Amino acid sequence: MSKKISIVVQLIMGFSLIIFTIVGFTIFLSYRSSSQAVLNRSNQYILESVKQLQGKMDAILQDNDKLSSTIMFSPLIQETLGDLALSRSPRTDAMEITRYIDQQTRSINSDIQFKLLGLSDDQVYTNSSSLKVIWDSEKEIRDAYWFPAIAQ
């Protein structure tokens, strides 16, 4: 003799099932739409950040290109490198070249290590910088493991 469930309990269970189904479906749709909105917004912010970084990198690279062109095409450097290429003693001393490189690199916003190598390994001109590069000669650069890949 099974006891019949009263009509009130059946109605409560039926309406509860309908309410839970509707609330669950609403929560699922809300979660999907909010996660898509968060994903879109984060993609937008990442894209803006990449564009800002690209702009900053372009500006830094342009500054460095202008700096290296200014230094390399200066008459002082050209005469010194020309003397070294002809195996003559340079007319200017290393300190004067270092002062000139320091003067030019002060105008750039970032700290930069600038090394100017002569044709032989014993002529190295550099700016006074807090950075330290581990290669002090052309031979050391040529002996680096990555040099063959970029030399081609």
Side-chain angles (χ1 to χ4, degrees):
M1 296 220 292
S2 113
K3 196 173 181 188
K4 285 192 168 186
I5 301 175
S6 71
I7 190 81
V8 175
V9 173
Q10 288 179 3
L11 285 174
I12 291 174
M13 286 176 49
F15 283 122
S16 297
L17 181 64
I18 292 171
I19 289 173
F20 285 140
T21 304
I22 291 172
V23 168
F25 187 69
T26 305
I27 289 172
F28 173 73
L29 290 179
S30 173
Y31 172 77
R32 265 188 60 193
S33 66
S34 63
S35 65
Q36 186 65 38
V38 167
L39 179 67
N40 291 343
R41 185 66 68 165
S42 65
N43 285 340
Q44 179 185 359
Y45 289 149
I46 288 172
L47 182 62
E48 288 174 11
S49 297
V50 167
K51 286 180 181 179
Q52 286 179 355
L53 282 174
Q54 182 181 8
K56 288 179 182 179
M57 287 299 297
D58 286 345
I60 289 171
L61 290 174
Q62 285 176 349
D63 285 348
N64 289 342
D65 185 47
K66 182 180 174 188
L67 173 70
S68 62
S69 296
T70 301
I71 291 173
M72 290 308 300
F73 293 124
S74 73
L76 176 72
I77 301 297
Q78 289 293 313
E79 289 173 5
T80 303
L81 291 179
D83 289 342
L84 292 173
L86 298 173
S87 300
R88 293 188 304 219
S89 178
R91 292 173 248 178
T92 56
D93 65 338
M95 286 304 294
E96 187 175 344
I97 293 174
T98 300
R99 277 193 297 273
Y100 176 75
I101 293 173
D102 282 341
Q103 178 186 8
Q104 296 301 316
T105 56
R106 278 190 200 109
S107 64
I108 200 161
N109 288 336
S110 57
D111 198 8
I112 185 171
Q113 178 70 37
F114 192 90
K115 285 195 181 254
L116 180 63
L117 302 174
L119 291 176
S120 63
D121 284 340
D122 58 344
Q123 294 103 13
V124 178
Y125 305 104
T126 184
N127 64 329
S128 303
S129 173
S130 60
L131 295 176
K132 174 70 176 126
V133 178
I134 59 175
W135 307 283
D136 285 327
S137 66
E138 183 179 359
K139 182 180 178 333
E140 290 175 357
I141 293 173
R142 288 186 183 279
D143 290 342
Y145 72 93
W146 45 262
F147 185 79
I150 64 168
Q152 298 174 353

